[in-house]
Amino acid sequence: MSEFPVRRNTVLLSAAMAVNSAALQLSAAMSAISFALVTGITGLLGLGPAISLVASSLTAGVAGRAMDRFGRVPVLAVGFVVGALGASTMALALHTKTTALAILGAALIGASAGTVHLARAAAGDMYPPERRARGIAWVLFGAVFGAILGPSVFAPLFAGRDVVAESLVVPWLAGAGIALIGMVVVLQVRPDPMRIAEAMGHTTPGLRGVSTPIREILARPGAMPALLSGLTSFGVMVAVMNLTGFVVVGHHGHEQHLVFPIIGAHVLGMYALAPVIGSLIDRTGKKPALIGGLIVVAASCAGLIWADDVWTIGVLLFGLGVGWNLSFVAATAGLADVASPGERGRLLGFHDMAAGALGATLVLLGGWALDSIGVYALASGAAVLALFPVIAILRSKDPQDAPI
């Protein structure tokens, strides 16, 4: 591995994730509220995030196939450009109160997220199976710095301001500029991680074909537990994360700028412990991590039933992030293990496509439940859903790990 600049590429991909993390906080905190302000309908507060998640879902499959054909770097760079366009469009929608532009902006933001999130495929390319979870975790760890950057940039833009459409224009424009920085960073990754994987031979004979149907890949030992855990942890996490801003402001009456420290705590939970978690997964196996992560997600969601102050909500959102990280890193490593370099982008793209569709459904249902019934419905429903795959994973006869 020393003949390839794996460490340098890992640092650059981690830096790109830091940039993406800062933009993610803006989207998570402001997407639902921005859409409600443009449309004037609070009952549709989940629609903006749902549009983004559907776009993310649809884009992920296409981006994954493009990555397997053209390489990881050019596709990731395009993803950041699309994110800048989406944030700019959302700013214009708020300025003009144009619903069509808000829909387009939400779709572009989702398409960007669906593409950039596949950076973990590039991470999986550069490390052998016995170190793959750690490699993926180190790339995701960069988002910790984004968790610090996000509140530092965006919170001052909201302090002392009323929550009106005009007050959200500048933050969205700042988000567009941050996305362009991500594009510049990812273009420095050389050579393309997919080429490193091919040169290092991180696969076994018989798995090199790029035309293998997804259903056949998912039939390989260890694939379905990883898929179930990854889908559920992502779907529940993004639904709760995207509705947190409305919970904090709309239901508990806190000031708008306090949303950003809470989202920052959530992002820290998602990524701060990633290197430790990655090493733990490599040592203990993926199956315990898949189950443990889902249990932590469920407990964190359930806690929102009783939480009403900013500190407690922040701690629970941190826990939600930790649970997601544990199950998601294990799921990503497990899926990467069962796929060759020429299949990996397509498989992870399929996973993200399904996860985005689930997340969109949950954020719509969660937004309706939150507006109609209250926080109890959102929190308890999310907790129950997070536990659904645990029984199936426990009963799975697949081996705990199936490294390639």
Side-chain angles (χ1 to χ4, degrees):
M1 198 160 67
S2 59
E3 62 186 289
F4 300 103
V6 172
R7 182 174 298 178
R8 174 181 177 275
N9 280 357
T10 299
V11 171
L12 287 169
L13 287 169
S14 186
M17 289 303 295
V19 174
N20 185 60
S21 171
L24 170 67
Q25 290 176 76
L26 177 67
S27 179
M30 292 292 103
S31 182
I33 294 174
S34 295
F35 205 87
L37 287 172
V38 172
T39 62
I41 306 173
T42 58
L44 294 178
L45 64 94
L47 186 56
I51 291 171
S52 291
L53 287 167
V54 169
S56 176
S57 171
L58 295 175
T59 304
V62 176
R65 289 192 295 272
M67 278 187 166
D68 288 343
R69 182 175 180 182
F70 302 109
R72 316 308 190 202
V73 170
V75 177
L76 291 173
V78 170
F80 277 111
V81 172
V82 172
L85 291 173
S88 299
T89 303
M90 188 63 78
L92 184 60
L94 287 159
H95 180 69
T96 61
K97 300 289 185 67
T98 306
T99 299
L101 287 175
I103 293 172
L104 177 60
L108 290 171
I109 290 168
S112 172
T115 302
V116 173
H117 209 56
L118 287 171
R120 66 195 197 282
D125 284 337
M126 298 186 296
Y127 291 86
E130 65 273 12
R131 296 182 57 199
R132 186 161 285 145
R134 274 170 284 186
I136 293 169
W138 275 111
V139 168
L140 294 178
F141 181 64
V144 171
F145 302 98
I148 298 170
L149 176 64
S152 300
V153 172
F154 297 122
L157 299 177
F158 288 92
R161 296 192 177 190
D162 295 329
V163 185
V164 294
E166 289 74 15
S167 67
L168 305 185
V169 172
V170 172
W172 278 115
L173 290 176
I178 288 174
L180 291 177
I181 294 174
M183 176 202 69
V184 173
V185 171
V186 82
L187 286 174
Q188 308 309 309
V189 176
R190 304 186 190 94
D192 195 285
M194 183 178 175
R195 309 307 168 202
I196 294 177
E198 291 172 342
M200 296 175 70
H202 291 168
T203 183
T204 53
L207 289 179
R208 293 185 181 276
V210 297
S211 60
T212 308
I214 289 292
R215 65 179 180 276
E216 291 186 16
I217 301 175
L218 292 177
R220 295 169 185 166
M224 283 307 299
L227 182 71
L228 285 173
S229 180
L231 292 181
T232 305
S233 62
F234 182 83
V236 170
M237 184 273 294
V238 296
V240 174
M241 177 184 68
N242 276 288
L243 294 170
T244 295
F246 195 79
V247 169
V248 173
V249 178
H251 279 257
H252 298 311
H254 298 293
E255 295 182 19
Q256 184 63 52
H257 69 92
L258 294 175
V259 173
F260 287 98
I262 292 173
I263 297 297
H266 174 63
V267 176
L268 279 174
M270 290 172 70
Y271 301 113
L273 300 178
V276 176
I277 287 174
S279 297
L280 179 67
I281 294 169
D282 282 337
R283 286 198 301 267
T284 63
K286 300 177 182 67
K287 196 168 185 177
L290 298 176
I291 296 170
L294 289 170
I295 292 174
V296 174
V297 167
S300 300
C301 291
L304 290 172
I305 296 172
W306 300 279
D308 58 4
D309 62 283
V310 171
W311 172 257
T312 306
I313 295 172
V315 170
L316 290 171
L317 265 289
F318 177 85
L320 176 64
V322 171
W324 171 84
N325 184 274
L326 181 59
S327 58
F328 199 73
V329 170
T332 298
L335 292 173
D337 283 352
V338 302
S340 70
E343 298 168 337
R344 195 164 291 143
R346 191 158 50 95
L347 179 60
L348 291 177
F350 172 81
H351 167 276
D352 289 5
M353 180 174 65
L358 177 61
T361 301
L362 294 182
V363 79
L364 270 178
L365 292 174
W368 173 83
L370 182 61
D371 188 56
S372 302
I373 305 173
V375 176
Y376 174 83
L378 172 67
S380 59
V384 171
L385 284 172
L387 293 176
F388 268 163
V390 171
I391 296 176
I393 295 172
L394 283 171
R395 296 179 64 181
S396 171
K397 298 191 183 301
D398 292 332
Q400 178 172 297
D401 292 286
I404 292 177

